[in-house]
Amino acid sequence: MTIIKPGRLALQALLLTTAGACAAGTITCVPGPAAASAPSDWIRRIAIDEHSRTVNMDIVRSRTKDTETMGKMRAELLSMEETQSGEPVYVFNAIPSVGTEVTHLFRLFKAGEWRLIGAGVTFMGKVPALRAVEPGLVLDCKRSDLG
């Protein structure tokens, strides 16, 4: 029996639009050259392992005028789908740490170039509420099929 959490249901309703399945592999993405000044520049690297359904992200935890403090964020790969053109679409959510009020939801897809869109969702009781939607971020991604 599968139990669907409210956050997972909200994510799927918000971000899923395709159907299919991708072959197991890995994909690693870094922001493209034009992303240096983007509002979503807190994400520095995304690594998705399709087989284990895990996502690891290198992120900027805090920033001052002179320094940045880097950190790691783990996410769960909720869906890997394939578009009609054969390009994969990944949907994942950050695994919130204790005391975190916002869950980050992401969709990584290829539309000419790799793009990442994200949304912040807070939960009031068990009811999800959209807190923020980030503008799309262009990424340079490399895929490797594990077979």
Side-chain angles (χ1 to χ4, degrees):
M1 174 178 197
T2 302
I3 297 174
I4 298 176
K5 297 178 184 176
R8 184 172 290 179
L9 183 60
L11 170 68
Q12 290 173 346
L14 179 65
L15 300 174
L16 289 179
T17 59
T18 60
C22 299
T26 61
I27 185 167
T28 303
C29 304
V30 295
S37 61
S40 299
D41 71 344
W42 61 280
I43 299 172
R44 295 300 171 89
R45 182 177 168 273
I46 300 170
I48 299 172
D49 183 329
E50 295 171 354
H51 179 71
S52 68
R53 301 188 67 80
T54 57
V55 181
N56 292 302
M57 296 186 284
D58 294 339
I59 61 168
V60 176
R61 288 248 182 243
S62 63
R63 179 179 289 142
T64 65
K65 181 179 145 187
D66 299 322
T67 63
E68 292 180 336
T69 303
M70 299 299 292
K72 303 258 185 218
M73 180 185 284
R74 284 187 41 90
E76 178 184 7
L77 182 59
L78 302 174
S79 173
M80 357 176 239
E81 312 251 333
E82 195 172 282
T83 63
Q84 290 179 346
S85 65
E87 295 293 348
V89 175
Y90 301 95
V91 177
F92 51 98
N93 70 330
I95 299 169
S97 57
V98 175
T100 302
E101 296 180 13
V102 178
T103 298
H104 293 279
L105 313 169
F106 300 96
R107 182 173 188 231
L108 177 65
F109 60 98
K110 190 168 186 179
E113 55 198 0
W114 284 98
R115 300 189 72 65
L116 178 74
I117 58 171
V121 175
T122 58
F123 289 90
M124 296 179 193
K126 293 187 177 192
V127 179
L130 184 62
R131 182 170 179 187
V133 176
E134 296 179 6
L137 176 66
V138 176
L139 298 170
D140 289 330
C141 297
K142 304 268 189 268
R143 284 186 51 77
S144 67
D145 294 326
L146 298 176

